[in-house]
Amino acid sequence: MNTGCRLFWFRLLLLLCLALPLREPDAPRAAEIFTMEQAVARAMQANPGVEAKMLLLEQARLNVGVAQSYFWPRVSLVGTSSRVQNYEEVQTYNSDNLTSDNWSKGLRASLSLFAGFAHLNNLQKSRIAVEVEKARHRQARLELGSNVQLQFLQLLKCREDLKSAEEAVARIETQLKAAEAFVKVGMAPYVNVLQNRTELSSARQQVIRVNNDIRNAEVQLNRYLGFSPDRPVRYAGNLKNFSSTVGYTEEEAVAAAIRQRPDLTMARKSVEVAYKDMHIAMGQYLPRVDATYDNMSSSKEYDDKRYQGYTRNYWAAGLNFSWEIFSGGETTFSTLADRKKAQSLQKDYEDAMSGARADVIRSLLDIKAARELIAASRQGMDAARESYAMANKRYMTNTGTITELLDAQLKLTQAENDASRALTEYHSARVRFFYHIGRENPGLR
């Protein structure tokens, strides 16, 4: 191919490339916005642990049907086939002893009329098991909801800490500029600049740490909500936007916990299940009565031609009665063992009740203490702001030292962090309070 031909094809390829429309880059996915209430609702839908408890609940409901099935008759198709072969000819007065081919087939039904109340106790036990699984499902929801809320509050606190850290950086940068200006005109020593730069470096490091804490909190929330760590999600809220009331007295809270807490329900129902097991074991002392009905066809064909085979159709109905009067002590020991288990679970339930009361009282005390901390931290923050303003004014008028100003700046930052920490502790205590009384409150109202 000569040079002119190559040039022609190159120009043609260039024109084709220019004629093709340029593909615009994919726009970044817009961040989804979740409030605390929306985040809890999303977590309830996406969390596999809650879904697993729901599946166990459905299994328990199906087991009720299994227990109910024992009250209905059992129907089966039956059939047998056999050959009787004698080794030698024998004299007999019964044709059944002759060599023959035999078969039978038919329908058989049986109904358990009495089984020592085992079927009734099993049915009641399966229904109690449904209530236990419902309580487990509610417990899983409560735990997940409280974990999401506590993590959400931690994220909001980190944002408040970031705001405080960035304000500290801005204040120190202003102080640094003033110190450099004073040094230029000989109104302050150069050490003031160095001290400000040191504090500025520490403040910027704190900003980096808080940003990392924010990212970690967002990743954890994404996991709770079933999102990938890199998925853009914006969690909206402010520590000041949540309700500041509880609305329960101590007596009302304890009563609500006893009535609503799923772990107490599980403990109480476990005692009932244990007593049902004991009653099932005690039922072994009683007789068993079954009704049976057979509708059969049977046939017998003899090898000896002197005898004629036959086929007959018949039905039979009857009652079967059995009573095991001695089993080597198995029934007695099983009953005693199940009774001890039930008594042990009863003690566990009483201990759980006592623990629930203590949990509620402690959470109310935490709420009260956090409320007092909020009031004290606000007073401290107001005083720290005023102290910083005075120290800054004295430094700007060259009547105060840089040490006083930096100390006032550090105390102001600490006071701001204390205020956000007190508010976080208050709302976290409210989250734990609602968890301890067994109430779902996704919006923390």
Side-chain angles (χ1 to χ4, degrees):
M1 185 180 293
N2 55 32
T3 304
C5 186
R6 288 195 187 97
L7 184 59
F8 169 77
W9 286 110
F10 175 75
R11 289 176 177 175
L12 179 61
L13 181 61
L14 180 61
L15 289 173
L16 289 174
C17 292
L18 293 175
L20 290 175
L22 295 177
R23 182 181 177 183
E24 295 182 359
D26 295 336
R29 176 186 293 179
E32 297 179 77
I33 301 176
F34 285 91
T35 62
M36 176 183 284
E37 186 171 3
Q38 292 170 338
V40 172
R42 163 70 190 184
M44 295 299 180
Q45 296 175 353
N47 187 267
V50 173
E51 186 178 358
K53 295 298 186 295
M54 177 57 71
L55 293 174
L56 289 176
L57 174 58
E58 293 176 1
Q59 178 193 13
R61 287 170 175 163
L62 293 174
N63 286 336
V64 174
V66 174
Q68 289 174 336
S69 69
Y70 289 100
F71 290 94
W72 294 92
R74 296 299 198 254
V75 181
S76 56
L77 296 174
V78 297
T80 61
S81 177
S82 64
R83 176 173 175 78
V84 177
Q85 179 70 51
N86 292 319
Y87 289 108
E88 58 185 11
E89 293 292 335
V90 295
Q91 185 176 1
T92 179
Y93 298 97
N94 188 345
S95 60
D96 289 340
N97 295 332
L98 297 176
T99 299
S100 62
D101 292 317
N102 309 277
W103 61 262
S104 65
K105 61 182 179 179
L107 186 71
R108 177 169 295 165
S110 63
L111 177 63
S112 177
L113 299 179
F114 183 73
F117 301 106
H119 300 334
L120 178 60
N121 283 309
N122 273 320
L123 177 59
Q124 293 172 341
K125 177 182 172 182
S126 65
R127 288 174 175 168
I128 296 172
V130 172
E131 299 301 319
V132 172
E133 294 303 330
K134 284 182 180 178
R136 284 202 177 99
H137 181 245
R138 287 186 54 239
Q139 181 70 18
R141 289 176 60 91
L142 278 174
E143 290 178 357
L144 177 62
S146 64
N147 287 337
V148 172
Q149 289 176 321
L150 291 173
Q151 191 64 57
F152 204 103
L153 291 173
Q154 187 63 31
L155 173 61
L156 298 183
K157 177 187 177 298
C158 289
R159 289 177 180 172
E160 293 292 329
D161 291 344
L162 178 62
K163 179 181 177 182
S164 176
E166 289 175 342
E167 289 177 353
V169 169
R171 289 193 293 265
I172 297 173
E173 286 176 344
T174 302
Q175 295 166 193
L176 177 59
K177 291 177 181 178
E180 290 173 343
F182 288 156
V183 168
K184 287 181 180 179
V185 297
M187 295 176 61
Y190 184 68
V191 69
N192 289 7
V193 175
L194 297 178
Q195 288 178 328
N196 271 290
R197 287 177 179 175
T198 301
E199 292 298 323
L200 181 60
S201 175
S202 297
R204 285 173 175 169
Q205 292 176 37
Q206 182 62 19
V207 170
I208 295 172
R209 293 190 188 97
V210 175
N211 274 317
N212 185 60
D213 292 340
I214 289 175
R215 182 56 187 152
N216 287 334
E218 290 174 342
V219 168
Q220 183 62 34
L221 281 173
N222 278 15
R223 188 182 75 84
Y224 283 136
L225 273 62
F227 296 140
S228 65
D230 297 327
R231 181 159 179 170
V233 180
R234 187 163 71 87
Y235 298 100
N238 190 289
L239 290 174
K240 300 181 180 64
N241 294 341
F242 299 105
S243 174
S244 59
T245 59
V246 173
Y248 286 84
T249 64
E250 182 177 313
E251 294 78 10
E252 292 172 343
V254 171
I258 294 173
R259 184 176 63 255
Q260 298 175 164
R261 276 184 59 154
D263 59 331
L264 296 183
T265 301
M266 287 187 287
R268 183 171 62 252
K269 295 297 181 181
S270 296
V271 175
E272 296 179 16
V273 169
Y275 276 110
K276 290 301 175 185
D277 287 334
M278 185 189 73
H279 293 152
I280 291 172
M282 291 175 62
Q284 300 296 323
Y285 288 116
L286 301 175
R288 301 290 192 271
V289 180
D290 298 324
T292 61
Y293 172 82
D294 290 341
N295 193 318
M296 304 292 294
S297 296
S298 64
S299 175
K300 184 181 287 287
E301 297 291 339
Y302 298 101
D303 287 1
D304 192 337
K305 300 304 181 182
R306 294 175 298 173
Y307 296 89
Q308 183 178 1
Y310 64 88
T311 298
R312 70 190 185 100
N313 300 313
Y314 65 94
W315 63 266
L319 291 176
N320 296 329
F321 177 87
S322 64
W323 194 351
E324 188 178 70
I325 59 176
F326 182 70
S327 60
E330 176 187 358
T331 302
T332 300
F333 288 120
S334 295
T335 301
L336 293 175
D338 288 335
R339 179 177 296 169
K340 293 299 181 182
K341 179 181 178 181
Q343 291 171 349
S344 173
L345 291 174
Q346 178 65 36
K347 295 300 180 181
D348 288 340
Y349 172 62
E350 293 172 3
D351 183 63
M353 290 279 288
S354 176
R357 292 188 180 94
D359 289 340
V360 171
I361 293 172
R362 281 200 303 268
S363 60
L364 286 173
L365 291 175
D366 290 343
I367 290 173
K368 180 180 178 182
R371 187 183 292 115
E372 294 173 355
L373 282 174
I374 290 173
S377 64
R378 285 175 178 171
Q379 293 176 359
M381 187 169 62
D382 292 340
R385 285 174 177 169
E386 184 177 357
S387 176
Y388 174 77
M390 294 173 62
N392 187 52
K393 184 177 181 180
R394 288 195 301 272
Y395 181 75
M396 293 302 178
T397 57
N398 207 23
T399 59
T401 64
I402 188 63
T403 303
E404 293 176 348
L405 179 59
L406 292 176
D407 183 61
Q409 143 63 29
L410 182 62
K411 289 182 178 178
L412 175 56
T413 301
Q414 185 62 44
E416 292 172 344
N417 291 337
D418 289 342
S420 63
R421 184 182 301 110
L423 198 55
T424 303
E425 290 177 359
Y426 176 73
H427 291 308
S428 298
R430 292 181 65 235
V431 170
R432 289 188 288 270
F433 169 77
F434 288 117
Y435 171 79
H436 288 317
I437 67 172
R439 174 187 163 188
E440 291 187 22
N441 187 6
L444 202 58
R445 295 186 174 88

